[in-house]
């Protein structure tokens, strides 16, 4: 069982899935920098640091995506784990203070929750998988098809879970506001 986590195919799938996640996150943030700055305010980032922190986050996410698909896959996986850990810690600190803010995950508003902290922990585990040394054999065309299919499946699952969480948040908001 231990061998599956360092097979070339699984390592490439993990790295590619994380690369898609981080590229998408960077793209969402760069297209709406003001919203990212607003999210950073919710997390308590000082006003004079928000713009530089926002640009740094975008640059790190973009670099992480590229590194995961390059010979620097280990560096990309380490950066992915670090960023995901920082994001999880930031959400957990807000939750412990009983503050409910938008997670800043991109797209429609989604309040932070322990489920999002858990999601990031699972993504950190995926980062660990992407960092594993694998006997990188020559991948054949069938392998690339498997990688594309697996990454597409992961994207669909991630999006579906995100949608369920958004719908739960909307339902909770309607229940507590009495508009249901």
């Amino acid at each position: 069982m231990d061998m599956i986590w360092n097979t070339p195919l699984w390592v490439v799938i993990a790295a590619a899935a994380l690369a898609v996640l981080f590229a998408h996150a960077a793209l969402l943030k760069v297209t709406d920098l003001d919203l990212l700055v607003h999210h950073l305010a919710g997390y308590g980032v000082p006003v004079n640091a928000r713009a530089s922190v926002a640009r740094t986050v975008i640059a790190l996410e973009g670099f992480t995506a590229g590194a995961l698909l390059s010979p620097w896959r280990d560096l990309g996986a380490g950066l992915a784990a670090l960023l995901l850990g920082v994001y999880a810690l930031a959400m957990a600190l807000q939750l412990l203070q009983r503050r409910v803010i938008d997670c800043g995950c991109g797209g429609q508003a989604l309040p932070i929750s322990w489920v999002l902290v858990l999601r990031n922990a699972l993504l950190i585990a995926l980062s660990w998988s992407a960092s594993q040394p694998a006997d990188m054999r020559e991948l054949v065309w069938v392998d690339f098809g498997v990688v594309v299919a697996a990454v597409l499946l992961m994207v669909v699952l991630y999006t579906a879970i995100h949608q369920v969480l958004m719908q739960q948040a909307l339902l909770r908001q309607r229940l507590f506001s009495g508009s249901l």
Side-chain angles (χ1 to χ4, degrees):
M1 180 68 175
D2 189 40
M3 293 181 63
I4 192 171
W5 303 117
N6 67 348
T7 61
L9 203 52
W10 174 247
V11 170
V12 170
I13 288 169
L18 287 166
V20 168
L21 177 74
F22 277 96
H24 182 254
L27 183 62
L28 285 175
K29 289 176 177 90
V30 80
T31 57
D32 198 347
L33 190 59
D34 291 337
L35 182 60
L36 175 57
V37 169
H38 175 74
H39 289 148
L40 291 172
Y43 282 102
V45 175
V47 68
N48 59 346
R50 289 180 196 150
S52 59
V53 169
R55 287 183 184 85
T56 301
V57 165
I58 292 167
L60 284 172
E61 287 182 347
F63 180 80
T64 299
L68 281 161
L69 298 176
S70 77
W72 302 311
R73 176 179 41 83
D74 291 349
L75 174 63
L79 279 172
L82 177 67
L83 287 169
L84 290 162
V86 167
Y87 300 159
L89 179 62
M91 287 187 283
L93 290 173
Q94 298 303 313
L95 289 166
L96 290 172
Q97 295 174 9
R98 302 222 184 269
R99 296 187 68 227
V100 180
I101 60 173
D102 184 10
C103 71
C105 304
Q108 292 179 314
L110 178 63
I112 59 172
S113 67
W114 290 110
V115 174
L116 292 177
V117 175
L118 176 62
R119 177 203 65 187
N120 278 22
L122 293 173
L123 289 170
I124 290 169
L126 189 64
S127 300
W128 173 82
S129 292
S131 73
Q132 293 305 296
D135 298 326
M136 295 308 269
R137 64 172 169 78
E138 187 76 26
L139 298 178
V140 296
W141 68 270
V142 172
D143 293 327
F144 289 107
V146 170
V147 169
V148 169
V151 170
L152 287 174
L153 178 61
M154 289 177 158
V155 167
V156 168
L157 287 172
Y158 183 91
T159 304
I161 292 167
H162 194 78
Q163 286 296 317
V164 167
L165 293 174
M166 283 185 3
Q167 293 305 315
Q168 280 183 329
L170 286 172
L171 181 60
R172 213 174 298 121
Q173 182 182 21
R174 287 181 183 157
L175 285 174
F176 290 117
S177 70
S179 65
L180 188 67

